[in-house]
Amino acid sequence: MHKLIALLALVISLTMVKGEELPSAKEILGQVRLQQAQQQLDLQGQLRSEATVIPFRITQTGPVIRYTFANPPEVVQLRLGEEGSRLDLVLLNSTKKFSASRLDEKIGGTAVTYGDLALKFLYWPNPQVIGADTLRTRNCWKLRLTAPSKDAQYATVLLWVDKESGALMRMEGYNQKSQLVKRFEVISAQKIDGRWFLKQMRIEELEAGTDKVRSRTYLEIKK
């Protein structure tokens, strides 16, 4: 009898968090994609890693986001669709699909890769809500996403999604051995024209199987 009660308590704890019924993971990711695709912006930013600074301009019109890098000159475009995302290289009068062989390439030697810009994990099938958490005073849902193939940059991704806004607050990428290899985390936000935008995000590369940070990059957006 006691074992049955304990089992029932465990089941309830997995479906309820602090009195809240867990929403569908697909609904949460749908909110994230909607939040990402609704922005209109034209801002300056930079990737900063120790002495390396890579300036860029970020422009967005709905689901189309462009990153314009000056050194070397390159324009990368991300299009967020209902079923998936597409990363393109913008040429003079056209665009072409970004080469898969370059997705693991680091941008200017920072911890950020071109594959990180593509946000492919937002479309992985069979996502799971595994609980709730608080990050920097924000109440978040915590999700586990599993890559549909071994060709993906990460085998598993853990996401922290702001319950109120649908904003991504933290992302952790794990390899095939379930070892943490990269962490993205929002450090601060800023209000521009009455709307909240990212101000600084920290990206850390970790030595697989340890807690040692191999490199640290900051993505910073300026008013």
Side-chain angles (χ1 to χ4, degrees), residues 65-113:
I65 307 168
R66 283 194 175 188
Y67 299 89
T68 302
F69 298 96
N71 188 23
E74 186 173 56
V75 181
V76 179
Q77 177 176 285
L78 172 64
R79 183 179 293 274
L80 299 170
E82 292 185 5
E83 303 297 329
S85 65
R86 177 186 171 98
L87 198 65
D88 289 317
L89 189 62
V90 180
L91 305 176
L92 186 60
N93 296 310
S94 63
T95 62
K96 71 173 184 178
K97 188 174 181 179
F98 201 85
S99 172
S101 63
R102 291 191 62 197
L103 291 177
D104 290 335
E105 182 181 324
K106 295 181 178 180
I107 301 174
T110 67
V112 182
T113 68

Side-chain angles (χ1 to χ4, degrees), residues 124-161:
W124 288 354
N126 306 315
Q128 296 176 299
V129 181
I130 58 175
D133 203 352
T134 301
L135 286 179
R136 300 183 185 275
T137 74
R138 301 300 299 176
N139 293 322
C140 301
W141 293 117
K142 187 175 179 181
L143 283 70
R144 178 186 289 114
L145 314 175
T146 303
S149 73
K150 292 184 178 181
D151 295 332
Q153 184 176 6
Y154 308 109
T156 305
V157 164
L158 296 184
L159 282 186
W160 283 256
V161 178

Side-chain angles (χ1 to χ4, degrees), residues 165-184:
S165 67
L168 295 177
M169 298 299 294
R170 178 191 286 170
M171 186 278 274
E172 292 183 349
Y174 294 79
N175 62 19
Q176 295 289 342
K177 296 181 180 180
S178 299
Q179 297 169 327
L180 178 62
V181 292
K182 191 176 289 188
R183 180 191 294 119
F184 293 72

Side-chain angles (χ1 to χ4, degrees), residues 5 13 33 49 62 71 84-85 119 147-148 170 178 199 213 217 222:
I5 293 174
S13 71
R33 293 194 294 267
S49 179
N71 188 23
S85 65
L119 301 176
R170 178 191 286 170
S178 299
K199 183 176 183 180
V213 176
T217 297
K222 304 175 183 178

Side-chain angles (χ1 to χ4, degrees), residues 11-91:
V11 171
I12 291 172
S13 71
L14 291 174
T15 56
M16 301 287 289
V17 178
K18 296 182 180 179
E20 295 180 273
E21 184 175 352
L22 294 180
S24 160
K26 290 184 178 180
E27 291 174 351
I28 295 174
L29 289 179
Q31 183 185 12
V32 172
R33 293 194 294 267
L34 182 64
Q35 192 268 351
Q36 292 286 328
Q38 283 186 331
Q39 300 190 73
Q40 306 286 328
L41 55 86
D42 186 346
L43 299 169
Q44 300 295 322
Q46 65 181 25
L47 292 172
R48 178 172 57 85
S49 179
E50 296 182 350
T52 301
V53 177
I54 310 294
F56 66 87
R57 178 186 178 191
I58 178 172
T59 57
Q60 179 173 357
T61 304
V64 179
I65 307 168
R66 283 194 175 188
Y67 299 89
T68 302
F69 298 96
N71 188 23
E74 186 173 56
V75 181
V76 179
Q77 177 176 285
L78 172 64
R79 183 179 293 274
L80 299 170
E82 292 185 5
E83 303 297 329
S85 65
R86 177 186 171 98
L87 198 65
D88 289 317
L89 189 62
V90 180
L91 305 176

